[in-house]
Amino acid sequence: MKTVLVTGGAGFIGSHVVVELVKAGYRPVIIDNFSNSERPVIRALQTLLNQEVTLYDCDYQNNKKLKEIGETERPIGVIHFAAFKAVNESVKQPLKYYDNNVAGLIKLMKFIKALTKLKHFVYSSSCMVYGEPDQLPVKEDSPWKPATSPYGTTKQMGETISSDTTVVSKHFNALSLRYFNPIGAHASALIGELPIGKPQNLVPFITQTAAKKQSSLTVFGNDYPTPDGSCIRDYIHVVDLAKAHVKALMHLEEKPPAYYDVFNIGTGHGSSVLEVIKTFEQVTDQKLMYTIGPRRLGDLTATYASIDKARKVLNWKAEKSLAEALSDAWRWQQKLA
């Protein structure tokens, strides 16, 4: 059985990818220091998968430990999720983001270069690399604009580091998946998004507001040049996103060393913040309290993906709707309540 290291594998996206890797016949090994995740996720994964899950409780920047893991587990690949990802927080704490997301990635790439039996690397990137796009939907060859936040800058730098390192490699290949906005939860309600402290993303704030854990939801701006004045994003179900990683890994297994490519992973459709709120109310029969606030630093006006390349090359497309994702997210929230 092929072993794959999953850095940040106890997190929201990582845990769902672990499930899909097992379903596809891989053996995922989680590396996580739980700085942005919860330890009960491991028990939930073991219940869901009905098997033990290998975990290394450590920082992925621990060079000595990473070397030990590589020698013990002999992985064929790494899927990297151990980055900080809150746009607003990155504006307030840029050095935290550059240290973990950029300096940490450099250490990880050195590890991959040194481990010659490790053949494949999947980088967790973001649509934030495009900055404020000139045209929609955004295509992979759309020019990069200056990032609107330090988080976006770290993803631009991360892709550059991954690409530059890979194309001169003699033993491994890589690709970057540019996520749009992952939401939802596993249909079992055993794993889902677990924000630590006050949620930074829209959907967990919506579900916590509906569950009375937050008094009110703030819509950051209603004066954007969009049909209803609120920001537009491409919201993708986390299970669809997880399946894209399996397709990406399988694709890399067919490619030679030094191969590198990038793919948008979204639905190809944009929904505004106010549309998401309305859809949540419709599918859950929950009335949300929300107010309109000022624009938030680092937010884009609108972005959604062109997914033609992922469909053609990876043979992947999103299958779940916004309504399904919001329903699953609410079921997960009710379990937590």
Side-chain angles (χ1 to χ4, degrees), residues 1-6 26-29 31 54 56 65-78 111-112 114-120 253:
M1 188 176 292
K2 299 171 182 176
T3 296
V4 179
L5 301 184
V6 185
Y26 294 95
R27 176 179 171 265
V29 171
I31 300 172
T54 302
Y56 288 91
K65 189 63 178 179
L66 204 60
K67 183 178 179 182
E68 292 175 4
I69 294 169
E71 292 172 349
T72 301
E73 301 296 344
R74 298 180 177 275
I76 65 152
V78 175
F111 161 75
I112 293 171
L115 203 63
T116 56
K117 293 186 181 299
L118 202 163
K119 304 294 186 184
H120 316 296
E253 289 193 86

Side-chain angles (χ1 to χ4, degrees), residues 38-327:
E38 302 282 354
R39 284 177 173 78
V41 170
I42 303 302
R43 292 197 299 272
L45 282 171
Q46 291 176 161
T47 299
L48 180 56
L49 295 169
N50 194 30
Q51 66 181 56
E52 290 295 312
V53 174
T54 302
L55 165 70
Y56 288 91
D57 185 346
C58 65
D59 192 321
Y60 88 102
Q61 295 196 57
N62 185 329
N63 291 340
K64 181 178 178 182
K65 189 63 178 179
L66 204 60
K67 183 178 179 182
E68 292 175 4
I69 294 169
E71 292 172 349
T72 301
E73 301 296 344
R74 298 180 177 275
I76 65 152
V78 175
I79 303 179
H80 179 47
F81 299 107
F84 298 140
K85 63 182 180 65
V87 171
N88 198 42
E89 182 188 55
S90 79
V91 174
K92 297 175 181 177
Q93 301 184 59
L95 291 181
K96 174 182 177 180
Y97 276 68
Y98 291 122
D99 178 59
N100 185 73
N101 294 10
V102 179
L105 175 62
I106 291 171
K107 293 176 183 176
L108 183 62
M109 295 304 288
K110 287 180 178 178
F111 161 75
I112 293 171
K113 278 190 66 178
L115 203 63
T116 56
K117 293 186 181 299
L118 202 163
K119 304 294 186 184
H120 316 296
F121 177 61
V122 180
Y123 178 64
S124 170
S125 190
S126 168
C127 63
M128 297 296 286
V129 300
Y130 297 114
E132 193 79 63
D134 287 331
Q135 293 183 322
L136 294 172
V138 181
K139 297 182 179 181
E140 285 85 353
D141 59 0
S142 297
W144 286 4
K145 296 294 193 65
T148 59
S149 67
Y151 166 71
T153 301
T154 69
K155 289 302 179 181
Q156 290 178 336
M157 295 172 73
E159 283 199 21
T160 302
I161 292 165
S162 299
S163 173
D164 288 350
T165 308
T166 303
V167 297
V168 296
S169 168
K170 294 181 172 60
H171 76 269
F172 74 94
N173 53 30
L175 54 77
S176 294
L177 299 182
R178 294 173 178 167
Y179 309 164
F180 279 66
N181 289 68
I183 61 171
H186 195 272
S188 67
L190 286 169
I191 55 174
E193 192 164 6
L194 276 170
I196 295 176
K198 196 171 186 177
Q200 298 290 320
N201 296 327
L202 175 63
V203 171
F205 214 115
I206 284 175
T207 60
Q208 287 193 14
T209 302
K212 311 303 183 188
K213 292 184 176 295
Q214 303 289 339
S215 59
S216 178
L217 169 71
T218 299
V219 176
F220 294 105
N222 67 344
D223 59 348
Y224 285 95
T226 62
D228 63 19
S230 63
C231 293
I232 291 174
R233 298 289 183 269
D234 187 336
Y235 296 95
I236 179 172
H237 198 298
V238 66
V239 172
D240 281 333
L241 176 60
K243 290 178 179 179
H245 287 78
V246 175
K247 291 286 191 178
L249 188 59
M250 290 177 172
H251 178 66
L252 286 178
E253 289 193 86
E254 298 174 350
K255 295 298 179 181
Y259 167 86
Y260 178 83
D261 209 344
V262 298
F263 296 91
N264 287 337
I265 304 297
T267 66
H269 173 75
S271 300
S272 74
V273 172
L274 292 174
E275 286 176 325
V276 173
I277 291 172
K278 181 179 179 181
T279 302
F280 178 84
E281 291 179 331
Q282 290 173 339
V283 300
T284 65
D285 200 28
Q286 299 291 315
K287 185 66 178 175
L288 287 171
M289 295 292 295
Y290 68 91
T291 58
I292 305 298
R295 294 187 182 192
R296 187 171 57 177
L297 287 174
D299 278 345
L300 303 174
T301 299
T303 185
Y304 56 92
S306 167
I307 56 171
D308 291 344
K309 184 177 177 181
R311 184 186 292 114
K312 293 175 183 176
V313 180
L314 299 182
N315 191 31
W316 172 90
K317 66 177 180 178
E319 298 174 347
K320 295 179 179 291
S321 67
L322 175 64
E324 287 178 275
L326 293 171
S327 180

